[in-house]
Amino acid sequence: MTVSTYTPADVLDPELHASGEVHRLWRWMRQHAPVHWHEPGVLPGFWSLTRYEDVRNAYQNPAVFSSAQGVLLRPTELGVDPGSGQTMALTDPPRHRALRGQVADRFTERCARSLADEMRAEIRSVVTRAIEKGTCDLVHDIGARLSSYNISRLLGVPPEDREQLLTWSTEAFESGKPLTSHVALMRYFIDMMYARMETPAEDVMGLFVDNEVQGDLLTETEILLSCENLVGASENAGLSMAAGMLALAGHPQQWQRLVRERDGELVRTAVEEVLRWTSSATHSMRTATTDTVVQGRRIAAGDRVVLWIPSADRDESVFTDPDRFDLGRQPNRHLALGTGEHVCIGSTMARHQMRMLLETLAELVAVIEPAGDVEPLRSITVNGPAHAPVRLVAR
């Protein structure tokens, strides 16, 4: 790639992300412009960080790189994210730590193990149904369904409502879909919230309602924004699962390796490689709280700083042969789920679910065959397929 092929400004082109060509641009930026200033336009001006070390350091230093003003690029005309300072994703320590502690027990290893039988049965049912359909969409029929069911279970949504919640959440977070789906989703959470006020429960919604944070109960707005944040974040888990299955279909030797070694250590390393390879969260933004220097470039207090996560996860200085999909890759200290204070609260649960899915696929599926063209997402926010029609051939 030459400088004339793409310029750093092209990192904002959704088509470049959809085609995968953005990886060529990030490779060039890591070498020649690892800390690059983008002039303001429709979006505010910001700095791009593309190297692993710089992205990790920004994640791990919330005192300098703050999340409180928003973690996603937004058009300037929209102003600051309305959730700023009110949810786990959009707060800094100590507020972030207090909000996280309010519900942390529901996302632990112990909790994941306690739900293992239910999760495994659910995954087996979803995969079996996809096999029986003949042709399925990995995104909706498996990835989104499993991730939505999981966060619904944690929030306290009863089983009979989970399919409806899947429909609402899928449409609410999909560009171009009617606003009515988002309204319906929030109305459902409002009813749940008031129900927990009347009858306490130990699910995540109940903890949001009843547990104090720094001496105060959360406001109704904070509760609803927190629910929305968790549902939105679960979309990334669904995309990772769908994109991971596509990667296995496109790398038959790795697929056969997984089938042969599904009962051993390989499944654990396979989970990490799928997460690294898919890196479904494309960027996370921070705001500098003070003047600082990164790679010799002066970042001023108040400047926005964008961490390009898939670029960090293919940094040649950290990952050997980073463009190779290798289920046995070790070490694999990727940043797909963040790190430091803002490591994804659902990371443990997501890893358990991914492992169970890989084990179930290896047991039940002989071949993952394309059944049409994959439609990629056209986004600078999330990475993965929008639709991925396949046939799962039973073993």
Side-chain angles (χ1 to χ4, degrees):
M1 174 186 153
T2 64
V3 181
S4 60
T5 306
Y6 303 118
T7 68
D10 292 320
V11 79
L12 297 176
D13 181 357
E15 292 297 330
L16 203 66
H17 289 260
S19 69
E21 283 291 291
V22 70
H23 283 288
R24 295 179 63 205
L25 173 57
W26 280 327
R27 189 181 309 126
W28 183 89
M29 291 178 71
R30 288 193 299 269
Q31 295 170 3
H32 303 285
V35 182
H36 180 80
W37 173 253
H38 298 259
E39 293 294 336
V42 174
L43 297 172
F46 66 94
W47 293 94
S48 273
L49 303 187
T50 51
R51 289 182 180 172
Y52 179 96
E53 179 183 4
D54 299 329
V55 170
R56 182 194 60 190
N57 289 345
Y59 263 129
Q60 294 181 342
N61 193 355
V64 175
F65 297 99
S66 168
S67 300
Q69 299 304 308
V71 295
L72 296 175
L73 282 168
R74 288 164 54 87
T76 303
E77 65 179 16
L78 295 181
V80 175
D81 192 308
S84 292
Q86 300 189 73
T87 68
M88 279 183 280
L90 278 70
T91 47
D92 299 320
R95 178 71 175 175
H96 170 81
R97 203 173 296 130
L99 286 169
R100 193 182 185 96
Q102 183 190 34
V103 295
D105 283 351
R106 294 299 172 269
F107 295 91
T108 60
E109 179 76 21
R110 178 182 57 81
C111 187
R113 290 183 182 278
S114 73
L115 295 172
D117 290 345
E118 181 181 349
M119 290 172 64
R120 193 179 296 279
E122 188 174 77
I123 290 168
R124 193 176 187 89
S125 174
V126 167
V127 171
T128 299
R129 194 186 326 166
I131 293 171
E132 292 171 349
K133 282 184 67 174
T135 299
C136 73
D137 182 348
L138 291 178
V139 179
H140 180 77
D141 293 324
I142 298 183
R145 177 164 277 108
L146 289 177
S147 62
S148 179
Y149 285 1
N150 202 36
I151 196 61
S152 294
R153 172 170 45 244
L154 293 169
L155 281 167
V157 175
E160 61 271 20
D161 289 350
R162 291 174 190 169
E163 194 67 21
Q164 179 61 73
L165 205 78
L166 167 64
T167 299
W168 284 334
S169 60
T170 298
E171 293 183 351
F173 291 98
E174 188 173 330
S175 177
K177 290 293 185 178
L179 182 60
T180 50
S181 294
H182 192 273
V183 172
L185 179 66
M186 298 313 293
R187 186 178 294 122
Y188 184 89
F189 285 142
I190 289 170
D191 291 341
M192 272 190 74
M193 176 178 65
Y194 289 146
R196 295 298 183 275
M197 290 177 181
E198 292 290 330
T199 307
E202 289 300 308
D203 50 46
V204 169
M205 178 64 87
L207 296 177
F208 280 149
V209 168
D210 290 332
N211 284 9
E212 292 186 354
V213 175
Q214 296 178 309
D216 295 309
L217 292 171
L218 295 184
T219 67
E220 293 182 4
T221 298
E222 287 172 329
I223 292 169
L224 295 173
L225 286 172
S226 294
C227 292
E228 181 184 49
N229 181 240
L230 288 175
V231 171
S234 77
E235 298 286 300
N236 285 340
L239 285 173
S240 288
M241 286 187 274
M245 287 183 280
L246 278 181
L248 289 169
H251 297 81
Q253 290 183 331
Q254 293 296 311
W255 166 248
Q256 291 304 320
R257 184 182 180 190
L258 178 66
V259 170
R260 290 193 307 270
E261 302 178 43
R262 66 179 180 269
D263 296 325
E265 173 69 8
L266 182 70
V267 175
R268 185 190 66 78
T269 60
V271 168
E272 301 307 319
E273 181 66 347
V274 167
L275 290 170
R276 181 195 75 90
W277 185 261
T278 60
S279 293
S280 58
T282 307
H283 81 261
S284 191
M285 189 181 74
R286 299 292 185 268
T287 301
T289 61
T290 186
D291 292 357
T292 189
V293 175
V294 180
Q295 298 289 343
R297 303 298 302 274
R298 179 182 175 276
I299 296 174
D303 284 355
R304 293 168 177 84
V305 181
V306 170
L307 321 181
W308 294 107
I309 301 161
S311 176
D313 282 344
R314 301 221 185 170
D315 188 331
E316 303 83 355
S317 70
V318 176
F319 302 96
T320 302
D321 197 4
D323 294 323
R324 177 168 55 91
F325 183 61
D326 177 9
L327 296 185
R329 182 182 294 277
Q330 292 190 78
N332 193 351
R333 292 184 289 272
H334 61 79
L335 301 175
L337 298 175
T339 186
E341 294 276 356
H342 276 274
V343 66
C344 174
I345 193 171
S347 59
T348 297
M349 199 69 70
R351 285 182 164 99
H352 273 267
Q353 190 174 46
M354 181 75 79
R355 176 177 57 79
M356 293 177 190
L357 175 60
L358 294 178
E359 291 170 344
T360 303
L361 288 169
E363 177 190 353
L364 300 182
V365 177
V367 181
I368 305 174
E369 295 180 342
D373 293 334
V374 174
E375 179 187 340
L377 285 167
R378 288 166 170 79
S379 170
I380 65 167
T381 303
V382 288
N383 169 50
H387 297 285
V390 301
R391 280 184 294 275
L392 302 183
V393 181
R395 186 166 298 282

